[in-house]
Amino acid sequence: MNETICGLPPPTNATPLAYAPGSRERDSIRVELDRALAASVEIPVIIGGKEVYTGRMKPVLCPHDRTKIIAHFHEARPEDVRDAIEAASRAKAEWEAVDWRERAAIFRRAASLICGERRFELNAATMLGQSKSVYQAEIDAVCESADFFRHYGGFMKHIFEEQPASLPDEWNRLEYRALEGFIYAISPFNFTAIGANLAAAPAVMGNTVIWKPATAAVLSNYLLMRIYREAGLPGGVINFLPGQGSVTSGGLLPHRDFAGLHFTGSNQVFDSLQRDIAAGLGNYRSYPRVVGETGGKDFALVHPSADPEVVVAQAIRGAFEYQGQKCSALSRIYIPASMKASVLDRLVEETRTIRTGDVRDFGAFMNAVIDGAAYESIMGYIERAKASASCRILAGGKGDSSVGWFIEPTIILTEDPRAESMSSEIFGPVLTVHVYDDSRAEEIFDLIDSTSPYALTGAFFARDRKAIELAQARLRNAAGNFYINDKPTGAIVGRQPFGGARRSGSNDKSGASLNLLRWTSPRAVKENFAPLREWRYPYMRPETD
Ligand code: NAD
């Protein structure tokens, strides 16, 4: 049955639907939003393919309208964590023995479901639960999730094709094995597709996974679990444990079979997980693979030769889409004094026209930030900037948490290029501007490179080719994803592999075979077709002269 060299069809990236007035998709998503708001989903823990209702229920709210409860989820208990380890271990042998193309085909089927009959359901859950506009949800939950799933086959083929050379009388080969043990996937709230990839990437490589989703994304993430089942993923391959991270980590990280962590989220959490893993060394069966993508303080440098209109449009999308809650969101911009009127004043003017609102209001460019803690934290940065002598608020600066957690798109101007809002990750709709003297253009490179501990994304705007060449060289280590005349957000699977170094993470590049490479443990096999029978070397023979 496996006597074939056929591969999977080549991947293509999904095309986002536009949801323009009068379109069919606009009608469909409205129907689905109404349906989802009227329903109240009960989300179980899922272990070994079985739903477990633990009774410890927590509500899931719409961040833009806190009175609306769209679901309740059951929190995992310590005994569920133990059961999940057993389920992952039971499912392992059979799953890793499945042909890699068959494993990839399951995720291809999931991609087709996401782009087809489950599209609006997954999109609506992401819009309501994570407060995303229809288009932001479409490019995330639908397109990026499907892109990951459709690319896995090609990424795996690329890895598996890496084979050693052989002489005529030997056969050398690399076998790509799953890791021994289970993989622990922990996902953030801000992208449904990140949750999809963190659990699915190790799984497609033959591993079994225990997935702890973020509470605010639990509804869309649960729908992914249902899609996996519908696509034919066997029970126990991905086990779903919503709830408190301390409970899942408490059971999983000290376990002997913990084989790897696939994490995306804040530095604080990743640091604490790394410490726990370090404390467990010596107990583990293998050295665990630790892949973590964390924060960013993403920049744009505008060169005096830049096209002002391009800068303004890209800066607005880069900084304020999804309320700035993207790890790649533009949060500091350096503008030459000569472009104050053409770029800065225009940027402020345009930002003042942005409307925030409910996700069902399609005229709103922005929606709410994720929860009360995020609201307080972001407003704290804004208030401290207001109180600082070196900062001035040029646009926005106000929040309103009476219905949902809304914060105006805010632009801060600072004379101090190392001000708090130029260096700390705010993770909200706040863009800080520093205006530099055109004659100091080359000093700015070092300033950008050294202002924050992160190195995730950055953008350079210029028409001068020499300047573009120089910026690429001088900002070489300042960002793992560097954009020229484009916003620093919106990486696409297979086209812009994503991740950064320094404090931004392990830079294992999701959306590329580099990430899947972390979830395999190769075995080199040598077979000798003409083995020697003599153990003595020729040099040992007696000299005859
Ligand atoms: P977070 O760190 O607060 O939470 C991430 C996940 O960790 C959640 O599921 C949370 O419940 C869980 N968690 C918390 N404590 C835990 C513990 N002890 N054990 C196990 N799990 C635990 O992050 P967030 O607010 O969901 O996401 C925002 C952060 O994620 C930002 O810093 C952002 O830059 C980062 N992020 C980075 C990337 C990237 O690719 N670099 C992408 C998206 C988000």
Side-chain angles (χ1 to χ4, degrees):
M1 190 169 151
N2 285 332
E3 289 174 356
T4 168
I5 53 166
C6 80
L8 288 149
T12 46
N13 291 108
T15 306
L17 299 177
Y19 296 90
S23 62
R24 281 174 56 192
E25 65 265 22
R26 194 170 170 111
D27 293 341
S28 302
I29 195 73
R30 284 205 188 286
V31 169
E32 190 53 44
L33 285 166
D34 289 344
R35 197 202 57 76
L37 278 168
S40 189
V41 182
E42 201 175 326
I43 299 172
V45 165
I46 302 175
I47 299 171
K50 298 209 168 56
E51 301 189 341
V52 180
Y53 294 86
T54 67
R56 294 191 187 169
M57 287 185 30
K58 291 273 157 64
V60 183
L61 314 173
C62 292
H64 44 269
D65 184 349
R66 301 194 319 258
T67 57
K68 298 223 157 63
I69 293 178
I70 47 171
H72 284 86
F73 71 94
H74 288 254
E75 275 194 328
R77 304 155 299 183
E79 57 266 41
D80 302 312
V81 179
R82 285 194 290 277
D83 291 348
I85 296 172
E86 263 181 44
S89 148
R90 267 199 311 275
K92 181 81 189 301
E94 206 170 314
W95 176 240
E96 67 185 328
V98 172
D99 183 279
W100 65 273
R101 286 160 297 198
E102 302 290 332
R103 294 198 304 262
I106 291 174
F107 289 99
R108 289 293 292 241
R109 167 76 181 131
S112 294
L113 286 167
I114 287 171
C115 292
E117 58 213 79
R118 299 274 165 236
R119 185 175 207 126
F120 300 113
E121 195 184 354
L122 188 62
N123 213 0
T126 302
M127 290 173 72
L128 294 171
Q130 290 140 264
S131 202
K132 282 205 173 190
S133 71
V134 68
Y135 194 72
Q136 288 299 303
E138 171 79 6
I139 58 171
D140 162 24
V142 175
C143 297
E144 193 174 338
S145 302
D147 286 356
F148 276 124
F149 296 165
R150 287 185 172 144
H151 278 78
Y152 285 156
F155 294 157
M156 291 165 88
K157 181 167 179 282
H158 179 74
I159 292 172
F160 299 161
E161 277 174 348
E162 164 90 53
Q163 291 294 333
S166 299
L167 292 175
D169 287 334
E170 68 182 8
W171 181 17
N172 296 318
R173 52 200 190 268
L174 276 178
E175 260 175 34
Y176 291 87
R177 303 169 301 179
L179 307 186
E180 285 188 287
F182 62 84
I183 307 299
Y184 183 16
I186 304 175
S187 52
F189 76 83
N190 65 338
F191 277 88
T192 302
I194 293 181
N197 182 54
L198 290 178
V204 80
M205 293 296 282
N207 298 284
T208 52
V209 178
I210 299 172
W211 175 24
K212 196 216 88 62
T215 296
V218 71
L219 179 58
S220 61
N221 290 187
Y222 169 58
L223 291 182
L224 285 173
M225 287 299 292
R226 293 200 354 213
I227 289 167
Y228 295 150
R229 191 176 55 192
E230 207 174 334
L233 189 74
V237 173
I238 298 178
N239 301 279
F240 183 70
L241 299 190
Q244 292 175 30
S246 54
V247 171
T248 40
S249 291
L252 299 180
L253 293 180
H255 199 278
R256 182 175 178 270
D257 288 340
F258 166 68
L261 173 69
H262 203 191
F263 174 84
T264 297
S266 64
N267 289 81
Q268 200 194 3
V269 173
F270 189 48
D271 289 356
S272 84
L273 296 169
Q274 292 247 36
R275 281 188 210 103
D276 290 346
I277 295 166
L281 291 176
N283 295 334
Y284 299 132
R285 201 200 304 214
S286 309
Y287 284 99
R289 300 280 168 90
V290 180
V291 174
E293 304 304 332
T294 53
K297 187 65 194 172
D298 310 301
F299 63 84
L301 173 54
V302 183
H303 186 265
S305 70
D307 178 336
E309 222 176 328
V310 168
V311 176
V312 172
Q314 300 295 320
I316 286 180
R317 285 195 174 178
F320 301 128
E321 275 182 326
Y322 194 39
Q323 298 76 264
Q325 299 172 115
K326 300 187 183 185
C327 51
S328 54
L330 173 62
S331 65
R332 48 182 173 133
I333 185 165
Y334 302 78
I335 299 174
S338 61
M339 298 183 98
K340 193 185 159 300
S342 61
V343 171
L344 181 56
D345 295 352
R346 282 281 313 284
L347 182 62
V348 169
E349 210 176 292
E350 290 290 326
T351 299
R352 288 188 182 138
T353 68
I354 293 175
R355 211 153 53 69
T356 58
D358 191 297
V359 297
R360 288 170 299 165
D361 171 1
F362 284 12
F365 180 69
M366 284 170 48
N367 312 106
V369 300
I370 199 69
D371 57 24
Y375 178 87
E376 294 301 332
S377 161
I378 298 162
M379 290 307 296
Y381 282 103
I382 295 174
E383 293 307 325
R384 288 193 292 283
K386 283 182 187 168
S388 158
S390 69
C391 296
R392 198 149 54 88
I393 306 289
L394 299 184
K398 291 202 273 306
D400 179 354
S401 60
S402 53
V403 179
W405 293 290
F406 292 102
I407 298 179
E408 290 177 346
T410 297
I411 297 182
I412 300 171
L413 175 67
T414 184
E415 290 161 10
D416 175 6
R418 296 189 190 271
E420 184 190 44
S421 67
M422 287 298 275
S423 55
S424 303
E425 182 181 52
I426 300 174
F427 219 61
V430 181
L431 174 62
T432 305
V433 182
H434 178 66
V435 176
Y436 69 90
D437 190 314
D438 291 44
S439 63
R440 286 176 50 230
E442 291 203 9
E443 286 166 39
I444 291 294
F445 293 127
D446 291 338
L447 182 69
I448 290 175
D449 193 47
S450 62
T451 299
S452 101
Y454 302 107
L456 191 53
T457 74
F460 184 64
F461 291 93
R463 282 180 280 204
D464 176 334
R465 196 69 224 175
K466 275 218 155 67
I468 292 173
E469 213 183 310
L470 186 66
Q472 284 179 86
R474 297 283 298 277
L475 295 170
R476 184 172 164 79
N477 291 312
N481 284 68
F482 189 65
Y483 294 82
I484 299 160
N485 291 321
D486 206 343
K487 62 187 168 53
T489 57
I492 290 181
V493 175
R495 284 159 58 192
Q496 294 94 28
F498 189 77
R502 296 186 184 163
R503 292 281 288 159
S504 290
S506 56
N507 198 12
D508 285 295
K509 289 285 185 259
S510 61
S513 57
L514 286 167
N515 179 277
L516 296 196
L517 199 52
R518 299 304 309 274
W519 310 117
T520 182
S521 175
R523 175 168 81 148
V525 178
K526 173 189 174 184
E527 183 170 348
N528 195 339
F529 295 133
L532 290 175
R533 294 172 197 285
E534 170 58 63
W535 67 268
R536 290 175 191 82
Y537 286 102
Y539 75 87
M540 297 163 69
R541 284 185 208 134
E543 289 187 32
T544 48
D545 54 12

